[in-house]
Amino acid sequence: MATVKLSFSPAPVHVRTARLVGVAVARRAGVREDLLDEVRLAIGEACTRAVALHRQYHVPDPVLVEMDDTGSYTVRVIDRAPIEASIGLTALNADQLANESLDEDDLTTGVGFALLAGFVEDLQVRPVPEGVGTEVRMVWPTGR
Amino acid sequence: MELSLATRTVGEHTVLEVGGEVDVYTAPRLRERLLELIDGGARHVVVDLGRVDFLDSTGLGVLVGALKRLRTVGGTFALVCDKEPLLKIFRITALDQVFPLHATVDAAVAAGPAA
């Protein structure tokens, strides 16, 4: 059972709010202080990705963020975009990043995924159990 | 914290000092300013991230965009960053191999337009 749920219209301006709430709940849950920058970045990346997908597919539904601090700190960011959209999640190497033909959106997607994978040890990206969409699930240990 | 942008000239270099949060909401303003500078004739651009306290993939995308744009016109692009959390972001994304990264503006300028 999530202790805090946040749903927001898929607009870039709200991603900061999601980061702030996510870090506040993490701190309250007892996530180590030195991990909070990574929590902030990872929640931001997951929400940015969800907002981008909603805009790309013209999905007006809200993006959902669920934060659960029972045991460890689990954050689920749920989008409602077609599942095939998530398949393009691959990290890029330095040559690909510098390649002139790679457009900025693709580069941002690749870099965003590299950050998620690099900062979250326990990361899962999977289809939502019901309906259309993808869930990015991130877990951090708590000190309690 | 809101994004702040300030430009100054050091020799042949245009230094853009960035502060605050660079994310999916504020990155378009950074992109716009960099394009203005490059379209206005700046060829050796140094972006000082010293006062940035948050940088995400969108911001990184804008920085790579500026680097590529400058390359196509024979210019140079360098970053100033000495904060470990930000440096870690560059390492994890392999962008530390793409950008010339310097600890200070002086070092970036001293590396010269040939950097």
Side-chain angles (χ1 to χ4, degrees), chain A residues 34-83:
Chain A
D34 61 316
L35 289 177
L36 294 180
D37 271 349
E38 303 186 4
V39 170
R40 178 164 73 137
L41 186 67
I43 293 174
E45 290 300 335
C47 290
T48 296
R49 174 188 167 279
V51 168
L53 288 171
H54 277 226
R55 290 165 82 85
Q56 185 182 341
Y57 289 89
H58 307 289
V59 180
D61 306 39
V63 172
L64 182 63
V65 185
E66 293 187 358
M67 291 148 271
D68 181 346
D69 67 356
T70 47
S72 46
Y73 180 50
T74 303
V75 179
R76 300 194 307 144
V77 177
I78 296 155
D79 68 69
R80 293 293 171 189
I83 303 236

Side-chain angles (χ1 to χ4, degrees), chain B residues 46-65:
Chain B
V46 174
V47 173
D48 181 357
L49 301 174
R51 288 166 53 228
V52 167
D53 43 38
F54 184 81
L55 177 65
D56 76 357
S57 57
T58 327
L60 292 167
V62 167
L63 295 175
V64 176

